[in-house]
Amino acid sequence: MIDNIVTWLATTLGAILSKELTVFVISLMPILELRGGILAGYFLGLPMWTTTFFAVLGNLLPIPFLLLFIEGIFNWCLEHNLMVKFISGLRRRAQSKSESVAKYEFWGLCLFVAIPLPGTGAWTGVLIAEALQMNRKRAMLAIFLGVLIASVVMLMVSYGLLNFIGL
């Protein structure tokens, strides 16, 4: 399903934006993130290193801002009865995922972000860091390392395996 969404976005955005900017924009999006950006770069025929640069940059750009402001934004919304169910659901989801991360905190968050599966990634990593009340600098470093590891895994899948089987 994600590959269908990525293909559609790559085709749609690719008609308007450059290939590089398409990868960057897809990588900015929650859920798709770096995984979607690297797949889009592969499907668009971009060189591996160009894809990696724009996907990592797009995935990491919003993270420091999210780490700085997510707690305040959530608290303000809750105080004003805005999106209460949505925020409570996000926090519950992050809390349930944070239990497996809490034991190893830094490395747990890093590995959680590094696993390129739906529901993992930098955006969810921010929510987990917020749920665990992690130090923001340590959380940013863990997320950064996780994104780099995820990029290696996704490059092996897209430019390695998909290329090998001829997709």
Side-chain angles (χ1 to χ4, degrees):
M1 172 151 149
I2 295 238
D3 58 335
N4 292 336
I5 295 169
V6 169
T7 304
W8 180 81
L9 278 170
T11 304
T12 305
L13 292 175
I16 305 167
L17 306 172
S18 70
K19 293 177 181 181
E20 295 84 359
L21 198 52
T22 298
V23 169
F24 178 80
V25 169
I26 289 172
S27 298
L28 280 170
M29 296 177 181
I31 300 171
L32 294 178
E33 298 190 42
L34 175 108
R35 297 174 296 277
I38 288 180
L39 285 173
Y42 174 76
F43 291 136
L44 290 168
L46 279 174
M48 182 175 68
W49 297 114
T50 303
T51 295
T52 304
F53 175 78
F54 285 101
V56 169
L57 184 64
N59 196 194
L60 288 176
L61 183 67
I63 302 309
F65 301 104
L66 290 170
L67 283 169
L68 283 173
F69 299 117
I70 194 76
E71 184 178 8
I73 291 169
F74 279 1
N75 290 338
W76 185 86
C77 287
L78 293 173
E79 286 173 16
H80 294 87
N81 290 324
L82 301 171
M83 302 187 306
V84 173
K85 286 184 181 180
F86 177 73
I87 292 169
S88 298
L90 280 177
R91 282 188 164 163
R92 263 194 314 279
R93 184 170 177 235
Q95 190 65 41
S96 72
K97 292 181 182 288
S98 70
E99 291 170 11
S100 60
V101 172
K103 183 176 178 184
Y104 302 103
E105 198 173 85
F106 178 87
W107 291 110
L109 181 60
C110 177
L111 291 174
F112 178 84
V113 171
I115 299 168
L117 294 172
T120 65
W123 285 73
T124 308
V126 168
L127 294 174
I128 290 171
E130 190 256 342
L132 293 174
Q133 296 294 296
M134 279 182 73
N135 173 285
R136 288 183 180 111
K137 288 180 183 176
R138 287 183 51 81
M140 182 65 210
L141 182 58
I143 291 169
F144 175 75
L145 290 173
V147 166
L148 291 180
I149 294 167
S151 71
V152 170
V153 172
M154 285 307 301
L155 288 169
M156 289 189 306
V157 169
S158 57
Y159 285 84
L161 181 63
L162 293 180
N163 194 39
F164 179 73
I165 61 175
L167 290 179

